[in-house]
Amino acid sequence: MEGIVTKSTGSWYTVFTKEQGTVACRLKGKFRIKGIKSTNPVAVGDKVHFKLEEGKSTGVIDAIFDRKNYIVRKSVNLSKQTHIIAANIDTAFLLVTVDHPPTFPGFIDRFLVTAEAYAIPVVILFNKIDMYDDALLEKKQHLEKIYTKIGYRCIDVSATKGIHIEEVIALMKGKTTLFSGHSGVGKSTLINTIEPSLHLKTKEVSAQHKQGQHTTTFAEMFPLHFGGFIIDTPGIKGFGIAAIEPNELANYFPEFFKLKSQCKFHNCLHINEPKCAVKDALENGTIALSRYKSYLQMFEGDEVHYRTDIYSE
């Protein structure tokens, strides 16, 4: 039988099939996917083949179909291991809040670079816009300008006030979409607004630390009443870049890639080389300083400081 993995808890997988509904499955023996060193060989969104166990209602997964794409992050504690968040995604929605909790450009850029590397289109949702004062609105507009100029679609939303929710739903119809972001940015609230029948748990953001508390433990996929699926993911504090070589990194910054052919050296790293079109663009303000700083951090493999706000321009 064939189905789609809608939930993974490490050892058991919920597989959705048209014939049987959902079936609890486990993996057949040791399972490795060629070329991928991952903590989880099977991810939410994977299309799999399984067999029902004799005399039981459970199944055994014995094959995974080729993935269209997947989004992966490096485990912060197990630096050589990667974790596949989800597979076969049509669009990833990255939820961003300027405050309460703050989302810094370094985190946004790491998510975008990973999505670019694995061919996943991203839409940035600036949530909680009903809570912004003038200063926060200015910060939001600054960020929005940077990412819109690069080519990313940005939408202002409010999950609690229902602002621009229909615009988001229009982009989700008939597709498999993933929602990601820090804990506390309002993923569960927004998903409940889009699909009220899900009743996902939500928690308040800590006023003291301005950080959210995890309400989602595992990535999980849900069918939508208007067609398609939504994947809710656990809130991410850090987003370690996985499986991208330093000399390839600039290819996943679209505004850097466009200028690549104008650099003096075809293998320019945009750091110390003379006559570099990217550094020239940085000098004249056509490339954002925050994006270049993110590039340098990723290039140097800095997994710590991107969680702090070093990006004021």
Side-chain angles (χ1 to χ4, degrees):
M1 297 182 73
E2 294 176 10
I4 298 173
V5 176
T6 58
K7 189 174 185 179
S8 159
T9 58
S11 51
W12 283 91
Y13 303 87
T14 304
V15 179
F16 174 78
T17 69
K18 287 179 181 175
E19 304 84 4
Q20 297 270 336
T22 56
V23 179
C25 294
R26 55 188 177 83
L27 286 180
K28 181 181 180 182
K30 286 207 169 184
F31 216 93
R32 293 286 176 270
I33 295 178
K34 197 175 176 183
I36 301 173
K37 287 184 179 176
S38 169
T39 55
N40 58 326
V42 180
V44 167
D46 269 328
K47 291 171 184 173
V48 296
H49 182 274
F50 68 95
K51 292 175 182 173
L52 287 173
E53 296 187 89
E54 203 172 326
K56 297 181 181 177
S57 58
T58 53
V60 178
I61 296 170
D62 54 14
I64 302 172
F65 294 98
D66 288 346
R67 292 168 172 151
K68 174 173 79 172
N69 57 35
Y70 58 93
I71 194 157
V72 61
R73 66 188 279 252
K74 188 160 73 177
S75 173
V76 176
N77 297 326
L78 304 164
S79 58
K80 292 188 179 176
Q81 287 282 357
T82 60
H83 180 78
I84 299 168
I85 298 170
N88 301 315
I89 302 155
D90 293 314
T91 306
F93 289 94
L94 179 63
L95 266 73
V96 168
T97 44
V98 177
D99 194 30
H100 205 72
T103 307
F104 299 123
F107 175 84
I108 299 171
D109 294 337
R110 283 168 178 267
F111 187 93
L112 294 178
V113 161
T114 300
E116 288 285 343
Y118 292 92
I120 299 167
V122 178
V123 175
I124 302 173
L125 302 180
F126 287 91
N127 194 20
K128 305 187 183 181
I129 59 156
D130 56 298
M131 296 169 65
Y132 290 177
D133 58 18
D134 289 346
L136 291 177
L137 196 61
E138 194 176 321
K139 269 190 172 183
K140 191 272 302 178
Q141 287 167 342
H142 176 66
L143 281 174
E144 211 164 40
K145 189 177 175 184
I146 289 171
Y147 295 109
T148 302
K149 185 180 176 184
I150 296 165
Y152 292 104
R153 185 165 182 174
C154 298
I155 304 173
D156 293 346
V157 297
S158 167
T160 54
K161 303 291 183 187
I163 298 169
H164 296 154
I165 301 303
E166 287 303 318
E167 191 176 340
V168 176
I169 288 172
L171 297 174
M172 298 173 67
K173 285 180 179 175
K175 295 181 178 178
T176 297
T177 51
L178 173 135
F179 276 50
S180 192
H182 285 318
S183 299
V185 293
K187 288 189 308 299
S188 298
T189 305
L190 183 56
I191 292 170
N192 284 339
T193 304
I194 290 165
E195 190 63 71
S197 63
L198 293 177
H199 304 296
L200 298 183
K201 288 182 185 174
T202 60
K203 280 187 183 174
E204 292 299 314
V205 173
S206 158
Q208 183 183 354
H209 301 292
K210 289 195 174 182
Q211 289 184 340
Q213 302 168 66
H214 293 291
T215 52
T216 308
T217 314
F218 302 99
E220 189 166 1
M221 178 189 275
F222 304 99
L224 297 163
H225 73 275
F226 48 78
F229 293 89
I230 188 169
I231 301 171
D232 183 23
T233 60
I236 302 168
K237 279 187 181 175
F239 201 96
I241 293 291
I244 297 174
E245 294 299 322
N247 62 335
E248 296 173 352
L249 181 62
N251 295 341
Y252 306 121
F253 283 74
E255 71 274 42
F256 291 20
F257 185 72
K258 279 179 189 172
L259 296 170
K260 188 178 180 179
S261 62
Q262 298 172 36
C263 291
K264 181 180 180 182
F265 299 103
H266 77 277
N267 58 349
C268 185
L269 296 175
H270 319 303
I271 299 173
N272 299 313
E273 298 87 347
K275 296 186 179 176
C276 167
V278 169
K279 285 196 293 180
D280 288 348
L282 180 67
E283 294 262 326
N284 65 35
T286 55
I287 280 180
L289 178 60
S290 63
R291 291 280 286 171
Y292 188 70
K293 284 182 176 179
S294 288
Y295 171 72
L296 291 180
Q297 275 191 340
M298 291 181 222
F299 189 89
E300 291 160 7
D302 187 345
E303 300 292 346
V304 179
H305 295 104
Y306 70 92
R307 299 184 206 177
T308 54
D309 188 8
I310 60 165
Y311 295 99
S312 351
E313 294 184 27

